[in-house]
């Protein structure tokens, strides 16, 4: 599932403590039943179902399966710093269309963009860098940071 990130709402919705606890339950196990969540947070199954649906409808949360790239045949991951001449947002939009590019952010600092890629192998990584990123007219420079070992990946932020 690809999700295009929109501009942040300057006044983000406030979460009450019960909604935060519901989100924490789903972060621990996205398949946890509404009844089990209700028991943990002190609400009925129906009330949890309604709250989760509102969170989903608002776009504040999504429930997805997260794979381990190594175990499904993608042996190379990298973060690529990208410098551009001109409109960084336009280049970010072009890169976001690429299926192997998992993450695109516009940054301040040494790079205009940071791009995370998940590839089959080094040849695939080279193809993405040379043919999909550096070939864009506005791209002036890239620097690759190849992942050697993943020590932590967490999606538990947002409620604490």
């Amino acid at each position: 599932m690809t999700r295009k990130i929109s501009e942040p709402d300057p006044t983000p919705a406030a979460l009450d403590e019960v909604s935060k606890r519901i989100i924490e339950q789903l972060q621990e196990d996205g398949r946890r039943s509404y009844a089990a969540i209700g028991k943990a947070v002190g609400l009925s199954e129906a009330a949890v179902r309604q709250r989760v649906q509102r969170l989903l409808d608002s776009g504040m949360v999504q429930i997805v399966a997260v794979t381990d790239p190594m175990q499904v045949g993608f042996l190379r991951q990298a973060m690529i710093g990208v410098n551009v001449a001109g409109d960084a947002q336009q280049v970010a939009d072009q890169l976001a269309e690429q299926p192997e590019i998992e993450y695109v952010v516009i940054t301040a600092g040494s790079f205009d963009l940071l791009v995370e890629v998940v590839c089959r192998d080094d040849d695939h990584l080279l193809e993405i860098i040379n043919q999909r990123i550096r070939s864009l007219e506005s791209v002036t420079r890239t620097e690759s940071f190849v992942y050697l070992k993943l020590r932590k990946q967490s999606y538990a932020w947002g409620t604490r």
Side-chain angles (χ1 to χ4, degrees):
M1 170 182 223
T2 300
R3 181 171 73 123
K4 184 166 181 166
I5 308 296
S6 59
E7 293 297 319
D9 185 339
T11 56
L15 286 175
D16 65 13
E17 288 305 312
V18 174
S19 290
K20 288 179 182 180
R21 291 176 54 213
I22 290 170
I23 292 170
E24 288 170 355
Q25 291 287 308
L26 290 168
Q27 286 172 327
E28 288 176 18
D29 180 357
R31 299 181 343 157
R32 189 165 287 157
S33 72
Y34 293 142
I37 294 170
K39 187 178 279 190
V41 303
L43 291 178
S44 70
E45 178 180 347
V48 170
R49 182 180 295 108
Q50 288 176 345
R51 281 182 179 246
V52 169
Q53 193 59 54
R54 279 197 304 265
L55 291 167
L56 291 167
D57 290 345
S58 73
M60 191 173 301
V61 300
Q62 59 177 310
I63 300 169
V64 299
V66 178
T67 59
D68 178 343
M70 297 284 281
Q71 292 191 36
V72 294
F74 294 95
L75 304 178
R76 177 60 68 217
Q77 292 176 266
M79 183 68 69
I80 303 169
V82 180
N83 288 110
V84 302
D87 188 350
Q89 293 181 84
Q90 182 180 16
V91 176
D93 290 343
Q94 290 173 311
L95 293 173
E97 297 296 321
Q98 300 296 323
E100 295 90 348
I101 295 177
E102 298 296 323
Y103 178 80
V104 179
V105 292
I106 300 169
T107 63
S110 298
F111 299 104
D112 298 311
L113 306 170
L114 289 176
V115 176
E116 184 176 39
V117 297
V118 178
C119 309
R120 291 183 305 275
D121 52 30
D122 287 339
D123 288 336
H124 190 202
L125 175 60
L126 180 60
E127 173 195 333
I128 291 167
I129 293 169
N130 276 338
Q131 296 173 14
R132 311 245 189 110
I133 298 175
R134 289 182 181 158
S135 67
L136 295 176
E137 187 175 314
S138 297
V139 172
T140 60
R141 177 178 172 268
T142 64
E143 185 172 345
S144 300
F145 303 89
V146 174
Y147 298 179
L148 298 176
K149 186 175 281 197
L150 180 64
R151 299 302 288 186
K152 179 179 181 178
Q153 185 171 6
S154 172
Y155 298 99
W157 39 267
T159 60
R160 295 186 176 100

